[in-house]
Amino acid sequence: MINGNDRQYFTLPAPMAKALELAAAHRNATPPNPSVGCVITSADGALLGQGFTQATGGPHAEVQALRDAQARGHNVSGATAYVTLEPCAHHGRTGPCCDALAAAGIGKVVAAIADPNPQVAGLGFARLQAAGVVVEVGPGADAARELNLGFFSRMVRRTPWLRMKVAASLDGRTALDDGTSQWITSGPARADGHAWRARASAVLTGIGTVLDDDPQLDVRLVECSRQPMLAIVDSQLQTPLDARLWQNARTVLIYGAVHDAHKEAAFAERGATVVLMPSAKAAGRTKVDLAAMLADLAARECNEVHVEAGGKLNGSFIREGLVDELLVYLAPSLIGQGRPMAEFGPLASLTDRLALEFKSVEQIGPDLRILARGVGRDQF
């Protein structure tokens, strides 16, 4: 599904609905590029070609659709291309899609939404119109933006979309007092969590989780063509060199707050990059500047950051106002005294609480999956 709350999706022109389906089905492979679908139809609505954006460095959806039409033996002169995002107008890893459409003789482009990338931002539409192509914008805009919310966040806010994942008992406990947490939620919930990891640009955790749980934090339980990078908030550079997280070939970023040449060299031998970002607000304590870290991840082309951390780091993200949405799996059990989802507060007033809105509530195996978004967080 694109977005269960987007009623517009069900009343879209059929080619645009199909383009959105194509984009959604292949969203995990495209980061840092947005996930885009394209469907080309004749004047009478017949399908001529379709495509979706490939993995980084591969052709975009429009070029794939043009190639598909050619492979089917169709002439696209005067045809209509339905695309879920404004065709690009710049030379990046590939050439401008707006020029490819115009050169092929496309007569009309129906785009769901403009590209927020400053290198495009209306230039694709302008180039198409200058070439005599009719441009229509708007059908499926909400669904297309939701599908690429992380990309929009990076382009507009210059920070990734931050999703905090939590697995807890019904009374909100993520572990026993001694840290035991395997397993509070079920196998289906864990597999579903891996599906959400797979769509992220980076999985982020804290040194406490690394030391307590020795997690792998990769995508194993669902098919995935690309492993997200791993970011670790580790102010003192304590990540063990024999931890299980090193078992996968992927980009590892360690965000620290103190310089230690010996440890930094050891991490470099492991292929990891150490980024020192001490917080000026730590009042004598050596802590990582979380907002600056997110800005750095955006500069590294991270669209979505998937946080799986302990209560202390979760609390810090919430306290600093950096959480966009929560992905919470609740098991039908009670633990009582134990470790909380997030440690922050106490609040002086209920008006200081983090206001959320439910985006979806679904049963996954015996557990509930709740997607709750910060009120107004997607208004940018």
Side-chain angles (χ1 to χ4, degrees):
M1 292 180 63
I2 304 298
N3 174 15
N5 295 322
D6 187 9
R7 297 181 184 279
Q8 173 190 216
Y9 174 74
F10 299 101
T11 58
L12 290 176
M16 183 60 80
K18 179 61 178 177
L20 285 163
E21 288 180 3
L22 288 168
H26 300 278
R27 70 184 305 168
N28 293 353
T30 61
N33 289 334
S35 184
V36 180
C38 180
V39 172
I40 301 174
T41 64
S42 64
D44 61 1
L47 175 66
L48 301 181
Q50 61 185 26
F52 51 89
T53 296
Q54 305 294 296
T56 303
H60 292 181
E62 299 91 329
V63 171
Q64 284 290 94
L66 290 171
R67 291 177 179 177
D68 184 47
Q70 183 180 42
R72 295 170 186 249
H74 295 313
N75 184 347
V76 299
S77 180
T80 297
Y82 293 83
V83 60
T84 60
L85 187 69
E86 176 184 2
C88 64
H90 65 294
H91 286 272
R93 297 180 178 92
T94 62
C97 292
C98 61
D99 294 348
L101 292 171
I106 291 292
K108 181 178 181 179
V109 169
V110 179
I113 195 169
D115 191 331
N117 187 340
Q119 293 180 294
V120 185
L123 294 178
F125 294 147
R127 292 252 286 268
L128 287 166
Q129 290 171 324
V133 180
V134 176
V135 174
E136 178 184 338
V137 185
D142 290 346
R145 188 176 188 274
E146 182 72 24
L147 181 63
N148 287 297
L149 201 52
F151 178 74
F152 274 76
S153 175
R154 176 164 67 90
M155 289 296 160
V156 177
R157 303 191 303 176
R158 296 292 185 264
T159 190
W161 183 258
L162 190 146
R163 179 181 302 109
M164 180 178 290
K165 180 258 183 179
V166 176
S169 60
L170 197 57
D171 52 351
R173 300 300 175 180
T174 60
L176 302 181
D177 260 348
D178 65 3
T180 302
S181 62
Q182 295 183 349
W183 296 103
I184 291 176
T185 53
S186 66
R190 294 195 294 277
D192 191 73
H194 277 234
W196 286 84
R197 281 184 190 174
R199 59 179 273 179
S201 298
V203 175
L204 185 147
T205 194
I207 184 59
T209 297
V210 172
L211 295 176
D212 290 347
D213 299 341
D214 193 20
Q216 291 177 260
L217 291 171
D218 57 0
V219 181
R220 304 183 306 280
L221 303 183
V222 297
E223 185 177 347
C224 184
S225 61
R226 136 203 96 79
Q227 285 290 338
M229 68 175 67
L230 175 63
I232 306 170
V233 180
D234 180 7
S235 61
Q236 302 296 312
L237 305 182
Q238 296 174 289
T239 300
L241 296 176
D242 59 352
R244 292 201 302 161
L245 61 87
W246 301 109
Q247 293 176 5
N248 262 322
R250 56 183 163 174
T251 299
V252 177
L253 301 171
I254 298 178
Y255 287 93
V258 296
H259 173 63
D260 186 317
H262 177 72
K263 290 182 178 179
E264 290 169 36
F267 289 140
E269 288 184 6
R270 279 287 192 177
T273 299
V274 175
V275 185
L276 297 181
M277 287 194 164
S279 173
K281 300 182 295 183
R285 293 172 294 164
T286 50
K287 296 184 67 175
V288 171
D289 187 327
L290 298 181
M293 177 189 66
L294 293 179
D296 182 74
L297 285 169
R300 297 174 190 274
E301 297 188 305
C302 283
N303 295 334
E304 291 185 7
V305 172
H306 179 91
V307 175
E308 295 195 26
K312 289 184 179 179
L313 183 55
N314 285 351
S316 294
F317 275 118
I318 292 172
R319 188 166 47 248
E320 296 191 27
L322 300 174
V323 177
D324 292 311
E325 66 184 10
L326 279 80
L327 178 69
V328 181
Y329 295 88
L330 289 180
S333 62
L334 298 175
I335 287 179
Q337 187 171 334
R339 298 191 179 181
M341 295 183 185
E343 296 179 17
F344 65 101
L347 302 180
S349 168
L350 281 175
T351 59
D352 297 331
R353 61 188 171 180
L354 175 60
L356 302 166
E357 57 181 340
F358 292 124
K359 301 300 291 185
S360 66
V361 179
E362 297 184 37
Q363 186 164 349
I364 307 294
D367 306 311
L368 285 183
R369 183 188 70 196
I370 300 172
L371 186 65
R373 182 168 299 173
V375 174
R377 295 295 296 189
D378 53 4
Q379 302 303 305
F380 51 83

